């Protein structure tokens, strides 16, 4: 899978993709601009396009194995799917949030004073599905 982490305007993610126990690559780009919306995705890579389409169009997407942080001009959302389709929850600027296989490690690292970038590096020490380059994106403060 991967690890994505957000706190106080910084969104960070790793660049590892895996297939089971096999590392496929350590320089994957998980940030995608789709129809004017920024997605930072984790989960089943082949399902990313269907997830983004379902999110933007507001239809379908039931039970896809994808989660994401989605950046809008009005703020940041955590999004995933269930049996009804795509759902989203707006985050506040000060929230600590993480997604993916290393999310528990990343949240604990932020709770201990690490930045999201540093938290991804901590998660990579314990989660074999997290690794490679750590990329970041600054999210402007919103109301």
């Amino acid at each position: 899978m991967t690890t994505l982490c957000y706190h106080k305007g910084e969104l960070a993610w790793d660049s590892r993709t895996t297939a089971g126990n096999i590392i496929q690559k350590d320089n994957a780009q998980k940030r995608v601009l789709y129809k004017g919306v920024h997605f930072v995705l984790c989960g089943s890579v082949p399902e990313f396009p269907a997830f983004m389409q379902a999110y933007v169009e507001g239809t379908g997407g039931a039970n896809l194995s994808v989660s994401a942080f989605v950046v809008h001009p009005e703020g940041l959302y955590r999004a995933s799917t269930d049996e009804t389709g795509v759902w989203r929850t707006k985050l506040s600027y000060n929230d600590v949030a993480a997604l993916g296989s290393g999310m528990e490690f990343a949240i604990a690292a932020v709770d201990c004073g690490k930045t999201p970038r540093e938290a991804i590096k901590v998660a990579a020490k314990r989660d074999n599905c997290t690794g490679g380059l750590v990329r970041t994106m600054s999210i402007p403060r919103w109301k």
Side-chain angles (χ1 to χ4, degrees):
M1 203 172 198
T2 198
T3 304
L4 320 174
C5 184
Y6 170 79
H7 185 55
K8 290 188 176 177
E10 182 181 40
L11 179 57
W13 61 96
D14 73 309
S15 62
R16 177 167 287 172
T17 56
T18 59
N21 294 348
I22 306 298
I23 296 169
Q24 292 184 316
K25 62 195 301 192
D26 268 344
N27 64 350
Q29 180 52 266
K30 298 174 183 177
R31 177 181 167 189
V32 177
L33 179 62
Y34 178 82
K35 295 192 176 182
V37 179
H38 286 275
F39 292 85
V40 180
L41 301 137
C42 66
S44 176
V45 174
E47 295 179 356
F48 286 2
F51 176 85
M52 292 183 294
Q53 180 179 0
Y55 184 95
V56 169
E57 294 178 5
T59 59
N63 296 319
L64 295 172
S65 295
V66 178
S67 295
F69 285 117
V70 186
V71 182
H72 292 270
E74 73 275 8
L76 179 68
Y77 291 82
R78 175 180 27 217
S80 194
T81 68
D82 60 20
E83 63 279 351
T84 64
V86 176
W87 57 264
R88 71 182 192 175
T89 303
K90 190 172 185 179
L91 298 172
S92 75
Y93 181 80
N94 291 317
D95 281 341
V96 176
L99 295 169
S101 55
M103 66 186 264
E104 293 91 350
F105 302 116
I107 289 172
V110 171
D111 287 347
C112 291
K114 301 290 187 186
T115 67
R117 174 187 280 281
E118 294 166 333
I120 297 299
K121 291 179 181 181
V122 169
K125 289 182 179 182
R126 296 290 180 199
D127 175 41
N128 67 337
C129 294
T130 300
L133 303 171
V134 177
R135 296 186 168 105
T136 64
M137 176 181 187
S138 293
I139 311 294
R141 193 171 187 120
W142 65 91
K143 296 178 185 176

